Amino acid sequence: MKLRLRRAGGFAIVSTLALAAPALGRAAAIPFAAVAAAAVFGIREGRLFELFARPGDHEEGQLGGLAGFALAAAGLALFATIPSVPMPPEVFAAAVLVVAFGNLGQQFVRESTSDEILRVAGFLGAGFLAATAAQVAVTVQAGKPVDLPLAAFLAAVAALIAGLLRSVLYERDDPLVILSVGFVLWLFASLATDIAAPTMAFALGVTAGLGYISYALETASVPGMLTGVLLGLLTVVLGGFGWFAALIAFFSIGGLASKYRYEEKAARGVAQEDGGARGTGNVLANSAVALVAVVGAAAVEQLPVSTEIFALVFAGAVATAMSDTLSSEVGGLFDSPRLVTTLRPVAPGTDGAVSPQGTLAGTAGALLVAGIAAVGMPLGDPTVGGLAVAAGGVLGTVVDSLLGATMEGGRVGNQTVNLLATLSGALVAVTIGTVVWNNSATDTDTRQELLGKWRTPTGRSVRWTRQTPRIRRVRRFTRNIGRHRWARMSRLHQQWATLPPRGRRTPERPETTPQTTAWIRGRLP
């Protein structure tokens, strides 16, 4: 057994101390603190030192890697015991074991192959199984029922986040990975409380399959693929299938658009770098706003915002990302684009350049996302919501071009511009959707009042004609009400005239004309 594999096995054994958290209670951090103290002050040489020593530990004369790992686990254990609302112990155990056993699985695969995707698969598979088993073991110890779909969801999120961070960090950064995974799982454990087993199975199978396809087609790098799979998983579980359909439409069509006539675009200098494979930065820049919207929709019960608002934010951001990607990838194939600020001809690929072909393709992409969102997402009124999403996508692309022409190239990079553009598209969709929907709701309420709620004294509703302007309808309604009111007053005058003289002089029925009118009006409805 090679040195790396033995060291990963040793760290995995240490991580199993987290499984004793329910039994230890507030003392759950003590075992890891003891390991950290032994790594710094006790173990200086020997076979145990050689087992856990990482590159650089020999020069320092202490097991810094083991100490950092144990201290990170001890820190999470404190959050699982001290706060008034502590981190669930199963989340703590999953966060620790997913990193340790994920490293073990990666090193095991590394012994037989150097393929990067297989090593990542080894990390994800071993980490997922270990995190799931850890949650089940801790839950059983605590005497609580096991929610296997929730455990699988949290384990998958933990494995994907850990694998993503490990793909961009180093092995010595495992303490940072443990803490990051722990806090993110804590958040999602409070949001995802009821997950159906079929939904979880679909989410795992489809996102994993699409992630591998994107890597095989070279439309995404390994970190980009992990980021896309994580976003897809969260969208299915926290949002729904309609949300996922809109997101996956952008991922698939946008990725294929990047590969479309790639050699020609590369010769023109407008092709996506890295062979068209999108990385983590690019994926997050186009999807960060949508991710926030999904998380917000899952937490809508704790927020003073409706689900429809978050749905509009999500769809508007995705429509902008789709429109921007298609307009860039298609427009770069045609000559004579013009700068959006001055409309002067510029070279293809210039930041802020637009072309009729790219604009048409971008508009089609925004309309596609809008159609999916109108059918499968809670946008309120589907027609109003769909139009708002389409407008947000198109106008968000215009904002992207304006920012590209005025700001991009200096301190502001392309990813920042994409993030701001998707945010702009989301805000436009929310603004248009809420304003139009509120006006439409107001018109509906007025129409209902005219037809049913406000009725004449005879019990018949006032006629309303769809072709008549609203101001005329209101005036006609008021005039008709006035006619019925005065007719009622006339009848009361006749009743007054038939009263006996003594009755007229009673305090309830004064004899003077102004008082008579007041008496009559007091009896009107």
Side-chain angles (χ1 to χ4, degrees):
M1 189 180 295
K2 300 298 180 62
L3 178 61
R4 289 176 177 268
L5 186 58
R6 290 200 302 268
R7 182 169 64 241
F11 275 84
I13 293 173
V14 172
S15 70
T16 57
L17 294 174
L19 299 176
L24 295 176
R26 291 185 175 274
I30 293 180
F32 289 104
V35 171
V40 175
F41 303 109
I43 305 175
R44 298 287 184 174
E45 57 184 1
R47 298 180 61 182
L48 199 59
F49 183 90
E50 296 297 332
L51 175 64
F52 289 100
R54 287 178 175 173
D57 288 347
H58 291 89
E59 290 78 3
E60 297 178 0
Q62 60 185 14
L63 298 174
L66 179 60
F69 180 90
L71 287 176
L76 278 187
L78 294 178
F79 282 99
T81 55
I82 294 180
S84 57
V85 182
M87 177 186 296
E90 58 269 19
V91 170
F92 159 65
V96 177
L97 267 71
V98 71
V99 177
F101 279 87
N103 288 334
L104 179 61
Q106 185 179 39
Q107 296 301 330
F108 181 80
V109 174
R110 187 175 184 175
E111 293 296 320
S112 56
T113 182
S114 59
D115 191 344
E116 182 181 12
I117 190 64
L118 292 180
R119 295 203 305 267
V120 171
F123 183 99
L124 297 178
F128 172 77
L129 294 176
T132 304
Q135 294 178 80
V136 172
V138 171
T139 303
V140 170
Q141 287 185 60
K144 298 185 294 184
V146 177
D147 189 346
L148 195 56
L150 177 60
F153 169 68
L154 295 178
V157 172
L160 287 169
I161 294 176
L164 176 61
L165 293 176
R166 281 299 309 273
S167 67
V168 296
L169 299 175
Y170 297 98
E171 189 177 11
R172 63 175 179 268
D173 298 318
D174 279 351
L176 177 61
V177 177
I178 291 175
L179 294 174
S180 301
V181 171
F183 290 124
V184 172
L185 282 191
W186 193 0
L187 169 64
F188 290 128
S190 63
L191 296 179
T193 57
D194 187 14
I195 304 175
T199 300
M200 192 64 239
F202 173 85
L204 288 177
V206 172
T207 54
L210 293 176
Y212 177 76
I213 292 174
S214 67
Y215 176 80
L217 295 177
E218 298 182 350
T219 59
S221 63
V222 171
M225 179 266 294
L226 294 177
T227 306
V229 171
L230 176 61
L231 292 176
L233 177 65
L234 295 176
T235 303
V236 173
V237 175
L238 301 181
F241 295 107
W243 302 57
F244 176 73
L247 182 67
I248 206 63
F250 161 61
F251 282 161
S252 58
I253 296 177
L256 293 176
S258 299
K259 304 296 290 185
Y260 175 67
R261 295 166 64 177
Y262 183 82
E263 291 77 9
E264 183 178 348
K265 287 186 284 189
R268 298 167 66 92
V270 297
Q272 176 76 23
E273 57 187 16
D274 297 328
R278 299 183 179 271
T280 298
N282 187 283
V283 175
L284 286 179
N286 286 290
S287 307
V289 176
L291 174 60
V292 173
V294 169
V295 175
V300 71
E301 294 182 358
Q302 291 80 31
L303 299 174
V305 183
S306 65
T307 305
E308 289 76 11
I309 298 297
F310 287 115
L312 286 170
V313 170
F314 179 92
V318 174
T320 301
M322 172 79 92
S323 178
D324 176 51
T325 300
L326 291 183
S327 61
S328 299
E329 298 297 339
V330 175
L333 293 170
F334 296 91
D335 297 324
S336 302
R338 294 179 179 272
L339 196 64
V340 68
T341 53
T342 62
L343 298 182
R344 294 180 178 177
V346 292
T350 302
D351 295 331
V354 295
S355 65
Q357 298 85 354
T359 302
L360 181 61
T363 303
L367 290 174
L368 175 62
V369 174
I372 296 174
V375 173
M377 294 180 62
L379 300 181
D381 183 89
T383 303
V384 174
L387 293 176
V389 170
V394 174
L395 294 179
T397 305
V398 174
V399 171
D400 182 272
S401 300
L402 291 173
L403 293 176
T406 57
M407 298 175 58
E408 188 174 348
R411 295 183 178 180
V412 179
N414 179 258
Q415 295 177 2
T416 304
V417 170
N418 289 341
L419 177 62
L420 294 176
T422 55
L423 180 60
S424 301
L427 293 177
V428 169
V430 169
T431 302
I432 295 178
T434 53
V435 170
V436 175
W437 171 248
N438 288 337
N439 290 339
S440 176
T442 302
D443 291 341
T444 301
D445 292 341
T446 303
R447 190 180 308 130
Q448 290 176 350
E449 289 175 345
L450 290 172
L451 289 175
K453 294 183 180 179
W454 293 357
R455 293 184 178 274
T456 64
T458 60
R460 295 188 305 174
S461 60
V462 180
R463 281 190 176 184
W464 171 77
T465 306
R466 187 180 299 272
Q467 292 79 11
T468 306
R470 182 179 177 185
I471 185 66
R472 293 184 179 178
R473 297 200 308 268
V474 174
R475 288 177 177 175
R476 180 180 300 173
F477 168 77
T478 307
R479 185 168 59 250
N480 290 338
I481 289 293
R483 290 172 180 172
H484 287 285
R485 183 180 181 91
W486 286 109
R488 179 74 180 274
M489 289 181 66
S490 298
R491 289 193 297 271
L492 288 173
H493 270 288
Q494 294 175 2
Q495 295 177 11
W496 172 269
T498 60
L499 291 175
R502 178 172 295 184
R504 296 182 189 179
R505 295 187 179 92
T506 58
E508 186 181 4
R509 298 180 177 86
E511 192 171 359
T512 59
T513 302
Q515 292 172 327
T516 302
T517 304
W519 177 82
I520 293 175
R521 288 180 176 174
R523 279 153 178 76
L524 288 175

